[in-house]
Structures are given as structure tokens and as C-alpha cells.
Amino acid sequence: DVKVTQSSRYLVKRTGEKVFLECVQDMDHENMFWYRQDPGLGLRLIYFSYDVKMKEKGDIPEGYSVSREKKERFSLILESASTNQTSMYLCASSWGSGGSYNSPLHFGNGTRLTVT
Amino acid sequence: GDSVTQMEGPVTLSEEAFLTINCTYTATGYPSLFWYVQYPGEGLQLLLKATKADDKGSNKGFEATYRKETTSFHLEKGSVQVSDSAVYFCALSGPSNTGKLIFGQGTTLQVKP
């Protein structure tokens, strides 16, 4: 079974802090994604990556950056956390070069981030 | 741009009732369509998918048919169980999205014994 592991289930950070959310997958997937989930809005794509050291902006990249130094690890960085970034963050991965559009996503269990 | 619209929730049903969750989409070209389910405290997991018009995806008693003429992918189950209580997300992915999934807002289903 594919396993996508997010390093923390719950995080509480203060406004202005730099926050790192880590995600690791164990199935050698090429593609990795970061979404945020908010009630009534579904999932919105923040950033994604099709290969090591490669990144693409999603629909809501403002206030975030990412890092993919190794194929299995995809980090989401909040450069200066703000209260409107309080949310559930979901990491996902999928196989297929260039983001095969028939390939399902495998999700981690999420990190619930609260910024106070 | 491409988008997915789901029926508003929450949906509350008694055990063994029939379930329909409506999903319609807007997309260029011919997207693939998915239903994902999120159980309490967990991430999303793929429930079923369909990759071309008139395909029927099915899994765990759930079904959905890709209807191009009505741009719909409604989720159905003949007899729900308490264990089906979860949030259900409709999603699409197409060549123009290059592997990214676009999700609907999610529909919460609560099944009472």
C-alpha cells in the first residue's frame, strides 16, 4: 500500500513564524501536491511538483513556498504565518511522468495548522 | 476555467436508504472524473473513477456514470450503512490540468442507524 506520511497531525504557531510542513511518500511517485482544505471550499491546490527540484504554482500559492530536494519528500513552507492560513493541509502523491491525468492521488492524513 | 459543483450538504439518511450525491462539472476536452471519500480524522482516498464518456465506476457498492451530455458524475448507492458516514468529494482531472485534481466543495453524509 502507498503510504503518504505527514510529519504532524496538529500544529499551533504564532503569527509571523516560519512554518515547515513535511510530507514523505514511500512509493517512488513522481508527482507530489499540497492542498489546503477549508469548510465549504473543498480542496484548493497550493503547489505541486512533477520532479525533484521542480515546482509549479497551484491556485493559491501566495504566502507559501515549497521544496523538493529528494523524490520522496515535499515540504510546504509558510514564510510568515498569518491567521488566514489556519487550515487543514493535505499532501498527496501520484505516479506518472508530467502528471498523468488518469492517475489517482494518494493522500496523507493531513496536518491541522492553527495560527494564533 | 475547469470547475466541479456538488450538491450542498449535509445529507442525513437512515441505514439502508438510497443515496444520491449530485456532481456536475465544467471542463475543456475530456476530463477523467473521480469520487474521493474522507472518513473522520483521515485523508482522502479514491472511491471510484471513470475516464471516458459512459464509463461507470464502481466500488464498495457505490456507482457513478460519466455523462458527457449532462456533464454529470452523480454518486449513488442502493443501501447505505452507518460506516458510509464521511465527506465525499467529486473531482476532475484533464489534459489541460496536467495531473492536478480540481475538487468540488465536498458533501457530508451522515447515516443514522
Side-chain angles (χ1 to χ4, degrees), chain A residues 9 35 37 50 99 102 105 108, chain B residues 32 36 38 41 43 49 98-99 101:
Chain A
R9 286 302 299 270
Y35 287 87
Q37 180 180 7
Y50 292 145
N102 285 331
L105 299 189
Chain B
S32 292
Y36 281 79
Q38 184 179 34
K49 73 174 187 179
T98 57
L101 283 187

Side-chain angles (χ1 to χ4, degrees), chain A residues 9 33 35 37-45 48 50 57-59 88 90 94 98-110, chain B residues 30-34 36 38 40-46 49-51 87 89 92-95 97-106:
Chain A
R9 286 302 299 270
F33 306 83
Y35 287 87
Q37 180 180 7
D38 299 288
L41 297 177
L43 277 72
R44 293 177 292 166
L45 182 63
F48 60 102
Y50 292 145
K57 292 181 180 179
D59 299 317
M88 171 71 84
L90 292 169
S94 70
S100 167
Y101 70 95
N102 285 331
S103 175
L105 299 189
H106 298 265
F107 283 85
N109 284 341
Chain B
Y30 301 93
S32 292
L33 301 174
F34 303 83
Y36 281 79
Q38 184 179 34
E42 299 183 12
L44 280 71
Q45 55 186 275
L46 178 68
K49 73 174 187 179
T51 58
V87 183
F89 292 91
L92 72 79
S93 176
N97 298 322
T98 57
K100 300 180 293 180
L101 283 187
I102 294 174
F103 287 88
Q105 66 269 43

Side-chain angles (χ1 to χ4, degrees), chain B residues 3 7 11 17 27 50 64 67 74 83 99 113:
Chain B
S3 65
M7 62 186 289
V11 174
R67 301 282 188 205
H74 305 320
S83 57

Side-chain angles (χ1 to χ4, degrees), chain B residues 4-17:
Chain B
V4 176
T5 302
Q6 291 180 235
M7 62 186 289
E8 295 272 344
V11 174
T12 303
L13 295 173
S14 298
E15 209 165 21
E16 299 184 3

Side-chain angles (χ1 to χ4, degrees), chain B residues 49-111:
Chain B
K49 73 174 187 179
T51 58
K52 62 182 187 296
D54 300 324
D55 264 4
K56 178 186 283 188
S58 61
N59 186 26
K60 299 182 180 179
F62 291 90
E63 293 182 340
T65 301
Y66 189 144
R67 301 282 188 205
K68 193 172 189 319
E69 63 277 12
T70 54
T71 62
S72 65
F73 193 54
H74 305 320
L75 182 68
E76 297 181 335
K77 187 175 185 183
S79 175
V80 294
Q81 306 300 312
V82 172
S83 57
D84 294 326
S85 298
V87 183
Y88 292 81
F89 292 91
C90 185
L92 72 79
S93 176
S96 63
N97 298 322
T98 57
K100 300 180 293 180
L101 283 187
I102 294 174
F103 287 88
Q105 66 269 43
T107 302
T108 299
L109 170 65
Q110 184 177 22
V111 180

